[in-house]
Amino acid sequence: MLAMNYRGPFRVRIDEKPYPEILHPEDAIIRVTRSCICGSDLHLYHGLVPDTRVGSTFGHEFIGIVEEVGPEVTEIQVGDQVLVPFNIACGKCAFCKQELYGNCHESNPEATAVGGIFGYSHTAGGFDGGQAEYVRVPYANVGPTRIPPEMDPDDAVLLADVVPTAYQAAEMGGIKKGDTVVIFGAGPIGIMAAKCAWLFGAGRVIVIDHLEYRLEFVKSYAQCEAYNFRSMEDPVLFIKKTTDWFGADVCIDAVGGDAAGNALQTITGRKTLLQAGSATALHWAINAVKKGGIVSIVGVYGPTDNLVPIGNVVNKGITIRANQASVKRVLPKLIDHVLAGRLDPKGIITHRLPLEEISDAYRMFSAKLDDCIKTVLIPPKATM
Amino acid sequence: MEETKDYSHIKGWGIDIDPENEPTYPIKKYTGDDHAQSRWERPSLQPIDVEVLHSNERPNVSAVFGNTLPPKGLSGAIRRFAFRYSENRYRHWLPLILADRIDMVEGLIEDLRRGHVPNILAEKGYKAEWKYNQRGVIKKAVAAAAVAAYLVLLLKRGRK
Ligand SMILES: NC(=O)c1ccc[n+]([C@@H]2O[C@H](COP(=O)([O-])OP(=O)(O)OC[C@H]3O[C@@H](n4cnc5c(N)ncnc54)[C@H](O)[C@@H]3O)[C@@H](O)[C@H]2O)c1
Ligand SMILES: [Zn+2]
Ligand SMILES: [Zn+2]
């Protein structure tokens, strides 16, 4: 079968690989009909995630048709069209039982701090991902969810990660009616988080980025304010001033370790890996939130250390909330929001490319070419 | 999970318990399972048929795992070394990053051995870069050519 093949930082290609096997009684094999490239994949593509082995297949946002199931699979059947949450979760461990499906303890031998994630390095379990024609899906009774027949597959694929992550980012912000919410990052996650902030009753939603085309997009897509941090001397001061010298009620980091905007952070975090990614956006979030405010982090960082003003967290009494999104937990509610038209995920898709053009697809998303926001990859045998 | 231990010898034990104070909700639905720690009923176990490195912060291999890329070669040896240390240590993560870079070279050698000369520019997506950012590509090429020319010049001078 065709599958993406990682060869080292900035080098990926499509190759012929063996068809995946059922290795566990709760496994399923899914024939992928759509998969996406995520901002999280860029951290892998840029070589920032330790134990990203050459030969890996990435891809944790995918939908498809059940092709084969193991003997203990009862919840889905061959032929079902399913969307697959990016977290691999057993449903039985203490964490899964408490709906922390992003923190399962039975899906990743290599690291205890992360649950298993499809196609996300050996630090997240060493599973092959969905940027392929077929993919092995463990714990098929827990993750895969039938796609409602009336749902557009383009909406469904964005429910595997983007919408749940953005929704949880807003949810963790503990937004109260009328709150001013500042979101760092106008990528798919930040854009969708802006949409979701309104669902929680935000009074004002502000998005910060430096890519003009994304700011233009989010302004109309999420009916919010959007500002370019390159045009301000100091984004924190800007936010203080625009909130009557108070600070935002809630700040959301939807950027993670590939952040731009501060030379020291970029050199230590992205160029030399002296810290676990550049923490510029998180630094701004902590300093721009009000005293007693909440910083919600969904941006992804590596497993070592980062330069953040932790003293200000203490002195300002900030609550920090963060996690890998627990997709399964929020899925029923989000399917509802999408079917009711309150959220329009497919509206952020800007590019559709055949799976075979994976090298170009990664380049375009990484270098933000051709005003790219979200790319969907279509395998050659995809029928829907 | 019910708390069965007796704490009556501790003055005031539990007097300030506030069930409403559950800041992890709704992200975490607190059930009390935490107090049983790691003693849940495990799922069926995937047979371990390849070498799986597991974090020494857990006693076992998780019930499922990816099996397609077991450690091998020099990068594998470094990875084995890294897994002797916990996730808390630089000795774990820095060798893993080093192993990734070595793996890349090993990958290149393996490609060549199988008679496949990788088209690195294509793998890096230079087709798209050329289509949407010609100026950038030309700039880079000119810069690279200038550096090369300068080096040649230096070499020639050195020989005189
Ligand atoms: N926690 C989770 O479950 C989860 C799930 C999915 C994605 N993520 C993470 O969310 C982050 C965003 O993902 P994405 O797909 O939107 O990625 P993306 O790369 O498309 O978007 C990131 C955006 O941040 C902007 N940016 C860079 N530096 C900035 C700064 N200092 N301030 C403000 N904006 C800045 C970039 O220009 C870009 O538009 C990534 O770190 C990704 O790994 C987390
Ligand atoms: Zn993702
Ligand atoms: Zn679990």
Side-chain angles (χ1 to χ4, degrees):
Chain A
M1 65 156 186
L2 292 180
M4 179 268 200
N5 185 343
Y6 170 77
R7 307 309 300 169
F10 297 93
R11 286 179 53 211
V12 300
R13 67 179 185 232
I14 201 80
D15 266 338
E16 200 53 51
K17 280 195 174 190
Y19 179 85
E21 284 173 61
I22 301 263
L23 301 169
H24 180 275
E26 285 176 73
D27 278 0
I29 307 296
I30 307 284
R31 178 158 62 82
V32 178
T33 50
R34 280 194 185 35
S35 61
C36 295
I37 305 179
C38 174
S40 301
D41 293 326
L42 293 183
H43 310 315
L44 297 170
Y45 181 68
H46 297 157
L48 296 183
V49 182
D51 214 356
T52 306
R53 298 187 190 168
V54 167
S56 307
T57 296
F58 301 166
H60 57 268
E61 304 182 1
F62 59 89
I63 59 169
I65 297 168
V66 181
E67 186 80 10
E68 212 183 313
V69 293
E72 284 177 25
V73 175
T74 51
E75 300 298 307
I76 54 169
Q77 288 175 342
V78 171
D80 283 351
Q81 305 201 353
V82 291
L83 76 92
V84 182
F86 76 86
N87 339 92
I88 300 175
C90 76
K92 293 192 169 130
C93 71
F95 306 103
C96 284
K97 271 195 190 154
Q98 302 184 87
E99 299 193 346
L100 296 171
Y101 298 108
N103 310 96
C104 176
H105 212 65
E106 290 286 12
S107 56
N108 177 11
E110 278 93 357
T112 56
V114 207
I117 301 175
F118 290 99
Y120 211 74
S121 86
H122 275 69
T123 296
F127 298 92
D128 279 329
Q131 289 164 8
E133 287 186 287
Y134 297 91
V135 59
R136 169 194 170 213
V137 174
Y139 300 132
N141 288 326
V142 181
T145 303
R146 282 195 198 87
I147 302 172
E150 64 272 37
M151 182 176 277
D152 189 314
D154 284 346
D155 283 328
V157 74
L158 293 174
L159 283 169
D161 177 347
V162 173
V163 185
T165 299
Y167 185 84
Q168 185 167 320
E171 188 185 29
M172 291 190 298
I175 299 170
K176 300 267 184 305
K177 207 167 155 186
D179 272 0
T180 297
V181 180
V182 172
I183 297 160
F184 294 93
I189 303 294
I191 292 169
M192 200 58 72
K195 275 288 234 194
C196 292
W198 294 126
L199 299 180
F200 288 94
R204 194 177 166 198
V205 177
I206 300 171
V207 176
I208 307 281
D209 200 300
H210 65 134
L211 299 173
E212 211 45 60
Y213 75 90
R214 289 186 169 199
L215 292 167
E216 279 311 310
F217 178 86
V218 71
K219 229 188 273 181
S220 68
Y221 178 84
Q223 298 141 286
C224 64
E225 299 168 54
Y227 303 103
N228 192 328
F229 67 75
R230 299 272 180 216
S231 70
M232 11 177 126
E233 204 192 326
D234 178 345
V236 169
L237 190 59
F238 173 84
I239 291 160
K240 285 285 171 70
K241 284 187 181 168
T242 187
T243 53
D244 196 19
W245 305 95
F246 195 69
D249 298 295
V250 177
C251 282
I252 294 175
D253 172 358
V255 180
D258 272 299
N262 178 297
L264 177 70
Q265 289 274 5
T266 299
I267 291 165
T268 54
R270 283 160 57 196
K271 308 288 180 208
T272 56
L273 300 191
L274 291 174
Q275 53 165 334
S278 150
T280 306
L282 181 52
H283 186 122
W284 290 348
I286 290 169
N287 287 345
V289 82
K290 69 179 179 188
K291 293 177 193 176
I294 298 180
V295 172
S296 164
I297 313 171
V298 286
V300 163
Y301 296 88
T304 54
D305 302 87
N306 283 97
L307 288 171
V308 292
I310 203 72
N312 291 349
V313 174
V314 177
N315 291 336
K316 291 169 75 173
I318 294 169
T319 299
I320 292 184
R321 303 187 83 186
N323 209 339
Q324 293 288 341
S326 180
V327 176
K328 183 184 168 71
R329 179 179 63 84
V330 290
L331 212 43
K333 190 183 274 177
L334 294 177
I335 288 175
D336 234 41
H337 282 332
V338 171
L339 291 180
R342 289 183 283 267
L343 293 172
D344 161 34
K346 65 176 179 303
I348 66 168
I349 295 173
T350 50
H351 290 75
R352 325 171 136 268
L353 295 170
L355 177 65
E356 296 92 312
E357 290 179 26
I358 192 115
S359 316
D360 289 336
Y362 265 87
R363 185 75 184 195
M364 286 173 70
F365 186 50
S366 165
K368 315 298 185 216
L369 302 174
D370 196 32
D371 290 356
C372 183
I373 293 176
K374 191 73 182 174
T375 303
V376 178
L377 300 165
I378 320 265
K381 281 182 234 151
T383 46
M384 62 176 198
Chain B
M1 296 296 137
E2 270 307 300
E3 204 55 59
T4 47
K5 279 191 197 159
D6 180 14
Y7 293 99
S8 59
H9 59 291
I10 298 168
K11 202 172 171 184
W13 185 89
I15 196 141
D16 287 336
I17 287 177
D18 174 7
E20 297 289 297
N21 184 359
E22 182 41 68
T24 59
Y25 181 84
I27 311 305
K28 174 174 172 181
K29 201 170 129 200
Y30 187 75
T31 60
D33 277 290
D34 287 343
H35 290 167
Q37 294 177 323
S38 303
R39 293 183 296 270
W40 55 80
E41 190 197 324
R42 300 192 72 194
S44 311
L45 303 182
Q46 177 181 338
I48 301 176
D49 52 359
V50 295
E51 181 182 0
V52 184
L53 298 173
H54 78 83
S55 164
N56 69 0
E57 291 183 45
R58 60 180 302 141
N60 51 23
V61 169
S62 56
V64 302
F65 52 87
N67 76 336
T68 49
L69 291 169
K72 61 175 195 317
L74 178 58
S75 60
I78 298 171
R79 283 172 179 140
R80 278 179 209 114
F81 168 83
F83 275 84
R84 285 164 41 190
Y85 302 96
S86 83
E87 295 160 58
N88 180 46
R89 308 284 296 274
Y90 278 114
R91 281 176 202 200
H92 179 73
W93 299 111
L94 297 185
L96 285 179
I97 293 172
L98 175 69
D100 286 354
R101 301 300 168 259
I102 289 172
D103 199 358
M104 190 178 84
V105 179
E106 288 175 328
L108 204 60
I109 294 170
E110 200 189 292
D111 265 350
L112 295 175
R113 199 187 295 145
R114 277 193 283 137
H116 174 82
V117 182
N119 182 345
I120 290 179
L121 284 186
E123 287 176 355
K124 286 189 163 189
Y126 262 85
K127 201 171 99 231
E129 190 76 34
W130 179 248
K131 186 163 171 201
Y132 298 109
N133 184 23
Q134 261 178 34
R135 265 217 216 142
V137 177
I138 291 170
K139 253 194 215 160
K140 258 191 207 162
V142 168
V147 171
Y150 181 69
L151 287 179
V152 169
L153 214 72
L154 275 186
L155 275 175
K156 273 193 181 164
R157 270 203 203 142
R159 272 202 215 122
K160 269 182 198 166

